[in-house]
């Protein structure tokens, strides 16, 4: 690829794929690459899952779009399947993770407005990633993503991830806090898990309940079966007021969702939020098909078993080199020694091992394989990575 009309918003790798099937991507000359990234946690059911492909094909030939000025039967059905799985009351369909979080943050403002706040604040975390619309970007920690955009910093309070004491201090120091927004496991920020695991979410909810704040979970990356439950919070006894998701929701078809429950339900009314494309018949039928697969197969159990297998195999072979693993289900962080030079790992994995991975947080390999990866494929992910890393020191 030489001349391009595309804005250079991404450092693209010098490769492109022309087809995908299950856990595999293929170049034009049909070279197979084992995909342990799935388009950044998107194709959780694998590339071109037959049931999703069938849903797209059938709906594309029937009705693609009518707008939300009309009833949309598939949106009703997708909403029911999603809210039932997520244990939430109602949903707004958007088109991406950032839009889902934008909706959540707007809900928090409406909630504050009901209480007469002049300038409400939302507590967010260090190393967080919530998207690139202006409000979701302002909630995001990554300095490179924020640079130059005059982010709305006075509307957010940033505290260390996993630190409940910092939340208590923020509550004492600031008036007009209306919500906490947090990822159950931080994806972009380094596959970070809290020291007490998902128990952190219960402690956060307790703070929210004590102060009458909305407890808002960003499950854009952790949702849709990725960690072995429909939503990662379901590993705990916590219950969010607001829950956002995208990525795996459409298995590659662009769609996002902001769900609400209890005191957050009913904040949006007619005209207070919207999206021309949100929840088209096509997008909704795709969501419905994804949830049909999640509900009627053992795919989430498979994510737990295979994720554990990959983590254990890697640590057995590489623990002696100071490598550890964290995460849940098929959201795996392989933590490398901090002094290791990781800059070429993604390229070397691709070129030498035909393995697609990602490195985040500087020294953490992020693996996001399909939830339905077969054991022989999981073994190959681990083996290829072990060979790569053993030749790296
Ligand atoms: C936790 C989280 N929230 C939000 C987003 C933004 O999603 P999108 O790129 O679909 O806008 C991402 C994307 O990586 C994410 O990981």
């Amino acid at each position: 690829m030489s001349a391009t009309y595309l804005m250079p918003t991404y450092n693209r790798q010098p490769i492109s794929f022309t087809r995908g099937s299950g856990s595999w991507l293929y170049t034009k000359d049909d070279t197979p690459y084992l995909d342990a990234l799935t388009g950044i946690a998107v194709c959780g059911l694998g590339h071109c899952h037959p049931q999703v492909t069938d849903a797209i094909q059938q709906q594309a030939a029937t009705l693609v779009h009518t707008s939300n000025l009309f009833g949309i039967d598939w949106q009703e059905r997708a909403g029911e399947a999603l809210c039932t799985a997520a244990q939430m009351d109602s949903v707004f369909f958007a088109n991406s993770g950032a839009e889902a979080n934008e909706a959540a943050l707007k809900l928090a403002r409406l909630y504050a407005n009901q209480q007469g706040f002049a300038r409400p604040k939302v507590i967010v975390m260090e190393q967080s990633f919530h998207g690139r619309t202006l409000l979701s970007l302002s909630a995001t920690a990554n300095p490179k993503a924020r640079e130059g955009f005059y982010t709305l910093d006075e509307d957010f309070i940033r505290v260390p991830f996993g630190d409940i004491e910092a939340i208590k201090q923020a509550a004492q120091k600031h008036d007009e806090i209306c919500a906490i927004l947090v990822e159950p496991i931080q994806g972009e920020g380094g596959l970070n898990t809290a020291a007490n695991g998902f128990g952190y979410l219960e402690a956060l909810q307790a703070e929210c309940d004590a102060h009458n704040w909305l407890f808002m979970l960003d499950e854009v990356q952790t949702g849709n079966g990725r960690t072995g439950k429909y939503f990662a919070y379901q590993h705990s006894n916590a219950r969010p007021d607001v829950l956002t998701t995208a990525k795996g929701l459409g298995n590659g078809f662009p769609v996002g969702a902001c769900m609400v429950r209890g005191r957050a339900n009913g904040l949006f009314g007619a005209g207070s939020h919207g999206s021309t494309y949100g929840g088209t018949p096509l997008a909704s039928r795709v969501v419905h098909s994804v949830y049909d697969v999640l509900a009627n197969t053992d795919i989430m159990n498979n994510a737990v078993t295979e994720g554990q297998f990959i983590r254990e195999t890697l640590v057995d072979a590489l623990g002696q080199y100071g490598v550890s693993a964290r995460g849940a289900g098929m959201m795996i962080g392989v933590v490398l020694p901090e002094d290791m030079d990781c800059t070429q790992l993604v390229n070397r994995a691709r070129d030498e091992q035909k393995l697609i991975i990602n490195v985040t947080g500087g020294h953490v390999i992020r693996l996001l394989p399909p939830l339905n990866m077969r054991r022989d494929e999981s073994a190959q992910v681990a083996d290829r990575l072990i060979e790569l890393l053993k030749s790296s020191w």
Side-chain angles (χ1 to χ4, degrees), residues 47-328:
H47 293 284
C48 300
H49 188 282
Q51 207 169 317
V52 180
T53 301
D54 191 50
I56 294 171
Q57 286 177 336
Q58 286 201 35
Q59 196 58 36
T62 307
L63 183 64
V64 173
H65 176 80
T66 54
S67 91
N68 285 297
L69 299 180
F70 307 100
I72 300 175
D73 184 47
W74 279 109
Q75 195 181 118
E76 299 285 350
R77 294 176 67 177
E80 183 180 0
L82 181 59
C83 288
T84 304
Q87 300 169 266
M88 300 297 284
D89 292 341
S90 64
V91 59
F92 172 83
F93 281 109
N95 309 288
S96 66
E99 277 182 59
N101 285 332
E102 193 76 13
L105 290 164
K106 284 179 71 179
L107 280 170
R109 288 178 173 229
L110 283 184
Y111 183 66
N113 192 250
Q114 278 188 344
Q115 296 165 63
F117 287 9
R119 195 73 205 235
K121 294 181 190 305
V122 174
I123 296 179
V124 290
M125 307 299 152
E126 291 172 7
Q127 286 101 35
S128 64
F129 190 87
H130 297 295
R132 292 173 187 272
T133 59
L134 194 52
L135 203 47
S136 67
L137 179 65
S138 302
T140 291
N142 184 334
K144 204 169 162 209
R146 297 160 56 87
E147 197 183 334
F149 289 113
Y150 300 88
T151 46
L152 307 168
D153 297 341
E154 64 274 35
D155 298 340
F156 294 92
I157 300 162
R158 200 169 296 284
V159 301
F161 180 73
D163 186 346
I164 287 293
E165 206 40 52
I167 305 271
K168 290 185 194 293
Q169 283 172 17
Q172 282 180 358
K173 210 166 133 198
H174 299 274
D175 293 328
E176 302 201 325
I177 295 172
C178 62
I180 293 178
L181 176 66
V182 62
E183 300 154 78
I185 298 175
Q186 291 186 316
E188 303 297 308
L191 230 301
N192 304 319
T193 51
N196 59 341
F198 295 113
Y200 174 49
L201 302 182
E202 291 164 20
L204 285 177
Q205 188 187 356
E207 290 304 315
C208 286
D209 288 346
H211 298 287
N212 200 27
W213 305 334
L214 290 183
F215 179 40
M216 310 204 299
L217 288 180
D218 176 347
E219 295 230 29
V220 167
Q221 193 158 150
T222 52
N224 312 299
R226 174 59 50 191
T227 70
K229 300 270 187 195
Y230 288 112
F231 288 90
Y233 88 80
Q234 292 166 327
H235 291 284
S236 74
N237 292 317
R239 295 286 306 274
D241 300 299
V242 180
L243 177 65
T244 62
T245 195
K247 290 192 182 276
L249 184 61
N251 208 51
F253 195 90
V255 56
C258 175
M259 290 168 269
V260 290
R261 186 181 71 86
R263 60 188 160 179
N265 200 14
L267 287 169
F268 279 153
S272 61
H273 196 55
S275 162
T276 299
Y277 289 127
T280 63
L282 181 53
S284 301
R285 185 156 177 183
V286 171
V287 170
H288 191 268
S289 73
V290 168
Y291 269 77
D292 200 43
V293 175
L294 290 177
N296 295 307
T297 63
D298 74 339
I299 193 166
M300 291 192 285
N301 289 333
N302 192 73
V304 172
T305 324
E306 295 310 299
Q308 194 175 339
F309 170 77
I310 293 173
R311 282 198 299 276
E312 284 175 4
T313 310
L314 290 172
V315 172
D316 282 352
L318 301 170
Q320 56 183 308
Y321 301 97
V323 174
S324 61
R326 59 190 183 213

